[in-house]
Amino acid sequence: MHIEAIELRQIELPFITPFATSGWREDANHSILVRVLAEGAEGWGEAPLGSGPWYNEETQASAWVIACTHLAPMLLAADLTRPEDVDAVYAKVRGNRMARAGFEFAVWDLFGRLQNQSLSSMLGGTRSTVEVGVSVGVQPDLDTLLQVVDGYVNAGYQRVKLKIKPGWDLEPTRLVRTTWPDLRLQVDANSIYTLADAAHLAQLDAYDLLLIEQPLAHDDIIDHAKLQRQLKTPICLDESIVSPEHARWALELNACGVINVKPSRVGGLNAARQIHDLAAAASIPVWCGGMLETGIGRAVNVALASLPNFTLPGDISASNRYFTRDLITTPFGLNPDSTLSVLSGPGNGIVVDGDLLEAITRTKVVLTAKT
Ligand code: OSB
Ligand code: MG
């Protein structure tokens, strides 16, 4: 199959509340949307970039240049027989995995719609609902934190993740744990600590956490292995695992007890599934992380989380946790058992809200295949 045209958009969709991590703040979704067209069908993908190079090295602006200059022309020149072929198309591209992922997602969606198969079933998903939690940003004070967590617990979320940083770690965690003794709780440091903080981080072992996510440097594996030997709580790697090879290295070094799989971080669903398989073979559970995606990216995350070794709740919250109006016509709602339903329609199963799309598009480009 040849892709006939690719439509690219830079969007800006404000969050209901700004999201603060240990090192930066996001006020809006700044994704690049990819729409591919072939054989009378279309496929949509979301590359969930940030406003700046804070989570990884990519930004909406940098990925836009790479997408327009290289990734779109390479895909338009390719002959695809299945979605996995996109990896070969981009084999010589270094890094830029979020930008790549947007195209790969769109191709999976296109094949699913043409073959009338849901993304979950194409990937080998085994469940029709997936357990989810909510990621709570750094708050201005402890009273606000309690109010925010209380709101999510009342909304039905049975797992909460707290963003932590020096000065906002032990006390918020202790307070949430003592207020909700049975809540499934975990923390995420987004790379803010060093090995010198090992004794400090070991104090988190007192709070019965599911995991401690990415405490050390964004590109580290070795120090995480050293830290894991000093903690009872499993370390979960996020930023450090950018490819199946990185997952293999982390598993061989015992650098973590859990892996957060974000298909966008690793360049797409094919790499994400390979990481899932490697972790399963090593008896290491995985869960699906999030990048504050619109419903387009959320549908992909839900489909991925339907695979068997996704045994911990994902950072895949309902649409109304992020946006007053999501970019899809049927927003994701939280089921009473703290799950989201896997979509069963062809491809990613969503319908894009065309009016909202036009309203939030900042830049749009259409590229066509040379004939
Ligand atoms: O580290 O998991 C992270 C959001 C943006 C960038 C990085 C992270 C996050 C989240 C929120 O924790 C996950 C979500 O709800 O989409
Ligand atoms: Mg994280």
Side-chain angles (χ1 to χ4, degrees):
M1 175 210 288
H2 289 96
I3 306 290
E4 292 145 25
I6 301 177
E7 183 183 285
L8 298 172
R9 293 168 190 259
Q10 289 181 283
I11 61 164
E12 182 175 348
L13 182 60
F15 299 129
I16 292 173
T17 45
F19 186 79
T21 75
S22 62
W24 78 98
R25 205 178 85 156
E26 298 288 352
D27 299 307
N29 171 302
H30 286 102
S31 292
I32 292 176
L33 300 183
V34 180
R35 179 172 172 241
V36 296
L37 296 130
E39 300 176 8
E42 64 177 10
W44 285 89
E46 175 175 2
L49 297 142
S51 53
W54 321 131
Y55 171 75
N56 66 11
E57 78 289 357
E58 299 182 77
T59 76
Q60 187 185 43
S62 73
W64 183 254
V65 173
I66 297 291
C68 296
T69 314
H70 301 288
L71 303 181
M74 289 167 91
L75 191 60
L76 286 168
D79 187 7
L80 306 169
T81 55
R82 48 191 206 125
E84 289 89 338
D85 291 344
V86 176
D87 275 0
V89 174
Y90 292 144
K92 66 182 185 183
V93 176
R94 297 289 169 263
N96 294 286
R97 292 182 177 89
M98 281 202 178
R100 280 177 52 175
F103 292 87
E104 203 242 20
F105 298 155
V107 170
W108 278 96
D109 186 33
L110 175 71
F111 272 85
R113 287 174 195 267
L114 283 169
Q115 297 168 358
N116 198 23
Q117 205 187 347
S118 76
L119 182 58
S120 170
S121 77
M122 293 169 88
L123 293 169
T126 54
R127 47 176 92 86
S128 57
T129 62
V130 299
E131 285 190 299
V132 301
V134 60
S135 176
V136 176
V138 172
Q139 302 297 317
D141 54 63
L142 295 168
D143 282 346
T144 312
L145 176 68
L146 284 180
Q147 280 174 38
V148 169
V149 174
D150 191 59
Y152 289 133
V153 170
N154 284 325
Y157 290 102
Q158 294 171 10
R159 192 230 67 183
V160 166
K161 167 169 129 181
L162 302 179
K163 292 289 192 183
I164 59 166
K165 65 175 183 179
W168 184 266
D169 44 22
L170 302 180
E171 192 51 20
T173 307
R174 188 196 65 78
L175 193 60
V176 171
R177 171 48 78 219
T178 51
T179 311
W180 292 278
D182 299 327
L183 185 64
R184 302 177 85 185
L185 187 63
Q186 61 193 56
V187 296
D188 185 358
N190 288 106
S191 312
I192 200 75
Y193 298 99
T194 70
L195 257 191
D197 300 309
H200 179 72
L201 292 169
Q203 295 183 69
L204 290 167
D205 281 338
Y207 304 121
D208 188 23
L209 302 177
L210 290 170
L211 54 91
I212 300 175
E213 187 175 338
Q214 196 72 35
L216 308 181
H218 68 97
D219 53 358
D220 168 77
I221 291 176
I222 291 182
D223 281 355
H224 279 101
K226 291 182 182 167
L227 179 63
Q228 182 66 89
R229 286 182 225 126
Q230 301 174 59
L231 300 180
K232 292 196 190 70
T233 310
I235 289 177
C236 170
L237 291 178
D238 173 356
E239 284 90 330
S240 293
I241 307 299
V242 297
S243 72
E245 286 292 271
H246 288 73
R248 184 174 63 75
W249 299 333
L251 294 169
E252 286 185 11
L253 290 171
N254 297 313
C256 58
V258 179
I259 296 177
N260 166 335
V261 182
K262 293 177 182 172
S264 62
R265 187 192 67 223
V266 301
L269 285 161
N270 194 37
R273 188 168 53 177
Q274 287 170 23
I275 294 170
H276 163 274
D277 295 349
L278 284 166
S283 301
I284 292 287
V286 302
W287 56 285
C288 184
M291 291 297 297
L292 311 168
E293 290 94 342
T294 74
I296 299 176
R298 191 163 318 286
V300 167
N301 291 343
V302 169
L304 180 66
S306 72
L307 270 64
N309 194 37
F310 281 84
T311 53
L312 289 168
D315 272 351
I316 321 174
S317 312
S319 295
N320 68 3
R321 179 259 177 273
Y322 307 95
F323 310 108
T324 48
R325 180 172 163 193
D326 201 345
L327 196 46
I328 53 179
T329 54
T330 308
F332 282 97
L334 188 68
N335 299 323
D337 59 348
S338 193
T339 64
L340 291 193
S341 297
V342 180
L343 301 182
S344 54
N348 63 27
I350 56 99
V351 176
V352 175
D353 180 334
D355 293 339
L356 182 61
L357 176 68
E358 293 310 327
I360 64 171
T361 297
R362 295 287 166 265
T363 322
K364 177 180 155 184
V365 157
V366 179
L367 297 97
T368 50
K370 294 200 179 70
T371 45

